[in-house]
Amino acid sequence: MDIHALQQIVHKTRDARRKQTIPKFSPADRDQLIHKYHPDFRASAYRPIRFGPNAGDKTVVELATLLEGDSPIQSDSDLTPHYTTDVLVVGGGGAGCAAALHAHGAGSKVILATKLRLGDSNSVMAQGGMQISVAPEDSPVTHFIDTLKGGHMQNDHALLKVMVEDGPAIAQWLIDLGVLFDRQADGNLHVKKGGGSSKPRLLTCSDYTGLEIMRVLKDEVINQKIQLLEFCAAVELLSDDEGRCAGAVFKDLDNHRTVVVAAKSVILATGGIGRLHIQGFPTSNHYGATGDGLCLAYRMGAKLAHIDTFQYHPSGAVYPEQLIGALVTEGIRSEGGHLVNAKGERFVNELDTRDVVSSSIIRECEEGRGIRTMSGRVGVWLDTPLLDAEHGPGTVEKHFPAMMLQFERFGIDISKDPVLIYPTLHYQNGGVKIDTNSETDVRNLFVAGEASGGLHGRNRLMGNSLLDLMVFGKRSGLMAASRAASMQQGTLTLKHLQRFRAEAGKHGNSSGVISPMVLPAYTRKVG
Amino acid sequence: MAPDDTNVIDQPEVLKPRMVTIEISGKKYEVPEGITVIKALWYTGQEVVRGAGCLGGFCGACATYYRTKDDPKVRTCLACQTAVQDGMSFTIMPPFPARKAIYDIQTLKDPKQDLFNLYPEAPLCRNCNACTEACPQKIDVREGVWKAVFGDFKSVSEMFMDCVMCGMCTPVCIADIAPNLVALYVSRAQGAHFAEKPAGLQTRIKEIRDGRFNDEWKKILKMSEKELADHCATVK
Ligand SMILES: Cc1cc2nc3c(=O)[nH]c(=O)nc-3n(C[C@H](O)[C@H](O)[C@H](O)COP(=O)(O)OP(=O)(O)OC[C@H]3O[C@@H](n4cnc5c(N)ncnc54)[C@H](O)[C@@H]3O)c2cc1C
Ligand code: SF4
Ligand code: SF4
Ligand code: FES
C-alpha cells in the first residue's frame, strides 16, 4: 500500500484517541522497557576502551576506535606558533560563542577557531527551546529535581545546581543582547512544558530558538571583533612542560596546512558525535558533529564521563527520504500530538522522557506495528493534524513554521497529514568530565557544551542543552580569562602525545585509524 | 523484526532508484532521483567543505543557485533541503562579501535613527522585489526593508524570525543593500531596546541572589541517594 493510504488510519482513529489518556509507565515497567529496547542496552554495540584515562570503561565501538586512534601530527613537528593568544576557543556553536564573548568581555585576547563557518553547528538547529525556571510556580530546585529524574539520578549535583541557578541571569544576558524570546500578553517570558518536566519552563523563539540565539551571538562575536579562524579543525592539543594545556594544532581545511596556536588557556566547545552514526542510526546533527573534542581531550589525559549513553531523539523524520534523521520537534508532542502505530493505536504517554518514548517506538517497530516506507525504512506516525483539530486551524503553521516549511519543500502539508518518525541519534549525554568552572582534569583545558559530560547524567532533558551551553560557555570563558591573566605562555610541546603513543604501542594499537575524524566520509568513491 | 505484510509498501522500484541527469557547475552527472543537492555532490565524488553546515535547513551555508530543464529562470534553494530533479543545473554560492555594520547594541541612543547611520543604503530601496524572489525561506524581504526604514521594528523582527542568513537576498539587490543584515540589526534593537522587560525574570534573579531557595537546597543536597530518589518521585 502506498504511504498516503496508510496515513488514513491516523485520520480515522483521531477522534477516538482524543478521548484517551495514556498513563506514564511505572518505574519498573519503564526500566524494563528501556533495558529491552533502548540502543544503549545493545551489548553487541559496545566494547571496553583498551587504554588511556578511561581504560576498561565501555563505550560504543565507533567511539572507542576513535579514542584509541592516532594523531595526524608527528611527535617532532615544528611548533612555532602562527598565532598567539590568551584564550583559544575551539568550536563556533553556542558554547564556543558564549565562551569567546565572556572571555573577551573579561579583557582577554581571544581567538575563536572553528571547523566550518562561525555558527554552523548543532546550536542553530535547536527548535524546542531552552529550560529556565522563570515562572512563579517554578523554581531552580524544581528544575534540579526534574533534571535528576530525567538523568536517571546520575547527574553531577554540583554542575546541575550551578546550571539551574545561573539560568535566569543567562536569560537576561541574552535579552540584553537582543534575543527575542516569546512573550505573554503581560510582557513576561512565555514558558512551555517540555517532556519530562513538572512545570512549564521552556523559553522559545517561535520554533527557531537556536537560530535566533545564534544569529545574535554570531553577530556579537563579529561586532566585538573577536579574531576568527574559520575552516580550521583542531587536530591536536599542545601541552607545556608541566602538562598544562598550552594551545592547539589545526588543519586549515582550505589548503590542508597545519596551523599552530599558542594559548594560555584553551576551551573546547566542539559539540557532539551524531555524525559517527552509532549503531547505524541516522542523525539530526550537523555535518561537523564527529566527536573531535573527545579525542583531543582524551589524548591529553582528561577523563570522560558517561560515554556509554546517547540520546536518540524519539522523532526523526523517516519520510520523505531527503529528510531522514532530521528532527521533528518535540514541541509537537508538548502541544498534544499523538504517537500512533500501524493499527491506529497510541502506545506511550507522549510526554514521557526521551529514552522512554524512543524505546517504545523501537518496540512498536520491532514487534511489527510500524509502518514501512517505499525505501524500506520503518517508523510510527506522529499525528500533527491533531494540533489544528485540538487548538484550531492554523495552529501548526503558527507554532511550527520551521517544520511546516521543511516538509512543504517536499510537497507535504503537516497540518493535514501526519508524519512518519523513528528515533534519530541526537545527543551525546556524556563527554569530557568538568568541574563547575568547566575545567577538566588537565589544567588550563576547559570544555563547555555538548562535548562536556556529567551534567545531564544518563539522559538529557529537552531544553537543558541550550542552557548548558550558555552557563558553561560563560563559566569557561570567565575562568579561562582569569587564568590567562595571571600566567605566562608555556612552552609548546607534544609530550602528552608521545606518552599516549607509547601507551597505545603497549596495547598493540595498530588499527591505523587517525582521529579526530573532522568530517564524515560521505563522498562516494567513484570508480 | 517480525514481518507484518500489511504494512509493507511493495514498491521495489523505489529501492532501485531511477537515475536522473543533473549538471553541476556545467558538468553532467547521473544521480539517483530525489536525493538532496548536497547528497548529489557527495554522490558524484565531490568533497564538500564550504557549502555544508547544519544539513538541516537552519544555517544557510548551502545557499545554491539552480535552474530546471529548459527554464531560463535561475532560482535559489538550500542544497540540504532540496531534491534534485532530472535536468536540474546548480552551483553552490560562496558567501557574498556584504558589508556588516559594527555596533554596540547595548549603548545605542536612538536605534531607529541609528539604522540610517549604520546602513545608509537602506532607505534607497527601489522596490524591485528581487530580494523577496531570492529568499528560500519565503520571507517578504522587500516589505521587511521598507518596514525597517519606516521604524516598524517589531514587524521586521517577526518577519525575519525564519531568516537563515544564507545571504541570497544580497547579491541581487540593485541598491546594494544587505537586507538580512539590516533585519538582524533591527531585530536585535527590537529585542534589546523596545521589547518589554519581563518582570517575572527580574523577580527570579533577585530571589536567587537573596538566597530564597537556600533552605530547600540545603535539605536536598544533604539527602542520601535513596532519600533523594524518594523525594524526586513525589515531584510530578
Ligand atoms: C536538530 C537539533 C535540535 C536540538 N534542539 C534542542 C533544543 O530545542 N533545546 C536544547 O536545549 N537543545 C537542543 N539540541 C541540542 C543542542 O542544540 C546541542 O547540544 C548544542 O547546540 C551543542 O552546542 P555546542 O556549542 O556544544 O556544539 P555545536 O553547536 O554543535 O558547536 C560545535 C562547534 O564546534 C565545531 N567543531 C567541531 N569539531 C571541531 C574541531 N575539531 N575543530 C574546530 N571546530 C570544531 C563545529 O564546527 C561547531 O562549530 C538540539 C540539537 C539538534 C542537533
Ligand atoms: S532574508 Fe535573505 S538571508 Fe535571510 S533567508 Fe531570506 S534570502 Fe536568506
Ligand atoms: S532587492 Fe534591494 S532594491 Fe530590490 S526590493 Fe529588495 S532591498 Fe529593495
Ligand atoms: S547546510 Fe545548513 S541550511 Fe543547508
Side-chain angles (χ1 to χ4, degrees):
Chain A
M1 247 193 298
D2 147 279
I3 197 150
H4 302 286
L6 292 169
Q7 277 178 344
Q8 293 310 317
I9 187 116
V10 182
H11 298 300
K12 278 195 208 127
T13 55
R14 183 169 301 124
D15 285 332
R17 278 184 280 108
R18 284 168 72 180
K19 299 190 191 87
Q20 255 182 338
T21 41
I22 304 267
K24 288 204 180 150
F25 287 99
S26 69
D29 288 348
R30 168 195 154 115
D31 279 356
Q32 205 188 357
L33 177 82
I34 292 176
H35 276 85
K36 186 142 179 222
Y37 293 103
H38 197 280
D40 276 358
F41 290 91
R42 246 176 248 166
S44 60
Y46 284 78
R47 76 160 169 85
I49 305 169
R50 288 179 299 161
F51 54 90
N54 287 76
D57 291 355
K58 277 195 177 170
T59 187
V60 285
V61 176
E62 294 88 344
L63 181 57
T65 311
L66 283 179
L67 290 176
E68 294 167 358
D70 195 11
S71 168
I73 301 298
Q74 300 301 319
S75 302
D76 58 355
S77 297
D78 176 9
L79 298 179
T80 315
H82 299 86
Y83 301 92
T84 301
T85 187
D86 292 331
V87 176
L88 170 64
V89 178
V90 184
C97 287
L101 286 169
H102 282 99
H104 172 86
S108 279
K109 173 173 163 45
V110 178
I111 290 182
L112 189 159
T114 187
K115 180 151 66 182
L116 297 165
R117 292 183 319 174
L118 177 63
D120 294 352
S121 60
N122 277 359
S123 300
V124 275
M125 288 193 277
Q127 289 185 270
M130 177 174 189
Q131 292 223 31
I132 299 184
S133 71
V134 296
E137 70 272 26
D138 195 10
S139 83
V141 184
T142 315
H143 189 177
F144 182 92
I145 300 273
D146 284 345
T147 307
L148 262 186
K149 280 166 77 170
H152 299 266
M153 311 299 288
Q154 302 291 308
N155 317 54
D156 179 319
H157 290 186
L159 294 179
L160 183 51
K161 178 167 188 287
V162 156
M163 181 182 82
V164 298
E165 285 209 303
D166 283 4
I170 287 290
Q172 188 61 55
W173 179 66
L174 291 172
I175 290 170
D176 289 342
L177 286 175
V179 171
L180 289 154
F181 288 114
D182 295 332
R183 301 301 187 93
Q184 292 166 193
D186 66 1
N188 271 315
L189 294 163
H190 176 74
V191 277
K192 276 207 226 174
K193 196 163 163 173
S197 296
S198 64
K199 295 282 183 300
R201 183 183 301 133
L202 277 174
L203 305 193
T204 51
C205 313
S206 174
D207 63 344
Y208 287 109
T209 313
L211 177 58
E212 167 65 3
I213 291 175
M214 285 310 291
R215 265 192 306 248
V216 169
L217 293 186
K218 254 163 60 180
D219 193 48
E220 192 61 14
V221 166
I222 297 169
N223 279 345
Q224 298 298 337
K225 303 192 176 125
I226 289 170
Q227 187 176 358
L228 294 177
L229 300 178
E230 289 180 306
F231 299 102
C232 279
V235 291
E236 193 54 63
L237 291 170
L238 293 167
S239 47
D240 68 8
D241 285 330
E242 291 169 44
R244 300 175 298 197
C245 190
V249 184
F250 294 84
K251 190 165 128 196
D252 183 329
L253 298 183
D254 285 331
N255 53 29
H256 301 279
R257 275 218 294 261
T258 299
V259 176
V260 177
V261 180
K264 293 181 189 165
S265 51
V266 177
I267 301 171
L268 284 179
T270 49
I273 69 167
R275 292 277 152 197
L276 300 188
H277 295 290
I278 288 164
Q279 303 193 35
F281 269 83
T283 183
S284 62
N285 284 192
H286 81 111
Y287 190 34
T290 46
D292 299 358
L294 299 187
C295 302
L296 297 177
Y298 194 70
R299 282 211 282 268
M300 185 100 187
K303 195 161 164 90
L304 313 177
H306 293 150
I307 40 163
D308 56 340
T309 155
F310 302 90
Q311 187 161 78
Y312 298 82
H313 192 289
S315 45
V318 174
Y319 179 89
E321 193 66 20
Q322 298 92 339
L323 291 182
I324 294 301
L327 212 63
V328 173
T329 171
E330 199 147 46
I332 302 273
R333 278 180 290 125
S334 299
E335 293 200 16
H338 291 169
L339 291 171
V340 182
N341 66 17
K343 294 181 165 165
E345 306 156 338
R346 287 170 75 189
F347 50 85
V348 65
N349 182 306
E350 286 83 359
L351 292 184
D352 219 321
T353 48
R354 286 183 172 167
D355 46 359
V356 172
V357 178
S358 289
S359 302
S360 67
I361 295 171
I362 293 172
R363 179 188 62 189
E364 291 307 294
C365 292
E366 289 195 357
E367 292 181 355
R369 294 182 298 276
I371 298 93
R372 185 165 295 184
T373 70
M374 294 87 120
S375 52
R377 296 178 193 268
V378 190
V380 298
W381 298 113
L382 176 63
D383 189 356
T384 43
L386 175 64
L387 300 193
D388 277 16
E390 198 76 46
H391 311 292
T395 303
V396 177
E397 181 159 20
K398 182 148 176 279
H399 294 184
F400 304 102
M403 245 195 88
M404 279 288 282
L405 189 63
Q406 205 169 28
F407 279 86
E408 222 170 69
R409 291 196 174 105
F410 302 102
I412 298 168
D413 179 348
I414 63 166
S415 69
K416 299 212 164 51
D417 282 316
V419 292
L420 204 57
I421 56 122
Y422 190 78
T424 183
L425 179 54
H426 186 55
Y427 188 80
Q428 155 190 301
N429 290 323
V432 187
K433 207 162 81 51
I434 54 167
D435 65 16
T436 53
N437 286 320
S438 251
E439 192 161 3
T440 67
D441 293 342
V442 177
R443 195 154 168 88
N444 296 349
L445 176 62
F446 300 81
V447 177
E450 192 171 341
S452 70
L455 171 67
H456 301 290
R458 301 190 59 83
N459 178 46
R460 171 181 68 98
L461 224 50
M462 100 172 270
N464 265 347
S465 173
L466 284 180
L467 180 57
D468 166 12
L469 307 184
M470 295 303 127
V471 166
F472 290 94
K474 175 178 176 178
R475 288 183 164 248
S476 63
L478 293 178
M479 194 62 201
S482 97
R483 190 67 60 74
S486 64
M487 61 177 281
Q488 297 291 313
Q489 171 70 47
T491 3
L492 303 182
T493 78
L494 284 166
K495 282 190 182 149
H496 64 282
L497 186 55
Q498 290 156 8
R499 205 174 48 233
F500 184 85
R501 282 185 168 142
E503 204 180 341
K506 268 191 254 155
H507 289 81
N509 203 38
S510 55
S511 64
V513 172
I514 298 286
S515 70
M517 183 185 274
V518 180
L519 287 174
Y522 289 152
T523 310
R524 185 163 151 263
K525 305 283 174 283
V526 184
Chain B
M1 74 166 254
D4 180 352
D5 291 340
T6 57
N7 290 340
V8 179
I9 310 159
D10 298 308
Q11 292 188 344
E13 70 273 16
V14 184
L15 296 174
K16 244 196 264 138
R18 194 167 82 92
M19 302 298 277
V20 295
T21 305
I22 56 160
E23 207 181 284
I24 304 171
S25 308
K27 191 170 163 190
K28 285 197 170 55
Y29 298 90
E30 295 246 296
V31 302
E33 182 179 33
I35 61 174
T36 59
V37 167
I38 279 207
K39 285 185 183 161
L41 283 163
W42 287 325
Y43 189 87
T44 59
Q46 308 200 31
E47 254 184 60
V48 187
V49 175
R50 290 176 179 263
C54 66
L55 302 179
F58 287 94
C59 76
C62 62
T64 295
Y65 281 129
Y66 76 97
R67 205 168 49 70
T68 49
K69 220 178 195 160
D70 303 329
D71 185 353
K73 174 115 183 108
V74 176
R75 298 165 202 275
T76 58
C77 71
L78 297 175
C80 69
Q81 297 291 299
T82 307
V84 293
Q85 16 173 328
D86 193 37
M88 186 179 191
S89 165
F90 63 81
T91 190
I92 288 194
M93 191 187 101
F96 194 73
R99 180 188 63 87
K100 195 199 101 61
I102 299 296
Y103 43 84
D104 180 354
I105 200 76
Q106 271 147 15
T107 58
L108 296 171
K109 289 273 169 315
D110 184 354
K112 294 196 178 176
Q113 198 55 41
D114 290 333
L115 169 67
F116 301 111
N117 305 326
L118 294 167
Y119 289 107
E121 62 279 14
L124 306 180
C125 168
R126 278 176 268 166
N127 235 337
C128 71
N129 213 33
C131 51
T132 304
E133 283 186 36
C135 180
Q137 293 292 87
K138 300 194 176 158
I139 299 169
D140 191 340
V141 183
R142 178 194 65 114
E143 180 81 9
V145 171
W146 279 85
K147 289 210 146 108
V149 171
F150 283 102
D152 186 356
F153 279 23
K154 183 156 194 291
S155 297
V156 177
S157 64
E158 284 160 10
M159 290 173 75
F160 282 78
M161 191 52 91
D162 314 62
C163 175
V164 293
M165 295 304 246
C166 65
M168 283 194 280
C169 50
T170 304
V172 296
C173 180
I174 51 174
D176 300 320
I177 302 168
N180 56 330
L181 297 179
V182 170
L184 177 60
Y185 163 75
V186 168
S187 302
R188 288 191 64 186
Q190 171 66 22
H193 292 274
F194 302 114
E196 225 179 306
K197 304 282 170 239
L201 177 62
Q202 297 306 322
T203 312
R204 179 54 41 85
I205 292 172
K206 191 167 176 312
E207 284 172 348
I208 292 173
R209 210 187 301 121
D210 297 347
R212 189 188 139 191
F213 305 104
N214 287 358
D215 292 345
E216 241 180 300
W217 279 128
K218 260 193 223 129
K219 208 174 84 196
I220 284 183
L221 296 174
K222 263 206 330 251
M223 287 180 183
S224 70
E225 231 171 271
K226 167 86 174 63
E227 286 168 338
L228 189 57
D230 290 345
H231 178 69
C232 283
T234 64
V235 179
K236 290 262 157 45

